[in-house]
Amino acid sequence: MGNDADFLEALRPKSVQELHASVASAGKRKPLPPVVDQLQVFVEQRRACEERCVARLRAQADFEASLLPESSASQEDVRSKVTTGVRHRFKSLESQCSVLCGKRLSYLITG
């Protein structure tokens, strides 16, 4: 136990100047490795890719839902169900955007 106290006392700064010097030198960090920049670029581009992918899927769902022929008032219920079904089908594809964009942009981090 006395050995630990002696060791800790040896690590403690002996003066205010020594304390300030050790604090100032601790704040200097080495530059981050290049992989950090690559990962940051990858994440930003993947996020943008996913947003574009989801937007394209939603636009395609709206387009396909609009392809139904003109209907009478009695067929509005059918039109509503078809539109809901088309949107649901494309909504389920949105989860694939993350995978697709990750694969598409993997070259950014494979160095």
Side-chain angles (χ1 to χ4, degrees), residues 50-66:
E50 287 178 25
E51 289 172 1
R52 287 190 310 269
C53 179
V54 169
R56 282 193 310 265
L57 284 173
R58 290 179 181 167
Q60 186 67 27
D62 291 341
F63 172 72
E64 288 188 19
S66 72

Side-chain angles (χ1 to χ4, degrees), residues 7-47:
F7 178 71
L8 292 176
E9 186 61 35
L11 293 177
R12 187 171 293 139
K14 305 297 183 242
S15 66
V16 175
Q17 290 82 11
E18 189 178 341
L19 174 66
H20 286 295
S22 65
V23 169
S25 67
K28 297 176 185 173
R29 293 186 179 182
K30 295 180 181 178
L32 295 174
V35 71
V36 174
D37 290 332
Q38 291 174 340
L39 286 173
Q40 187 174 11
V41 168
F42 171 77
V43 168
E44 290 169 358
Q45 289 190 6
R46 181 174 168 185
R47 184 179 303 125

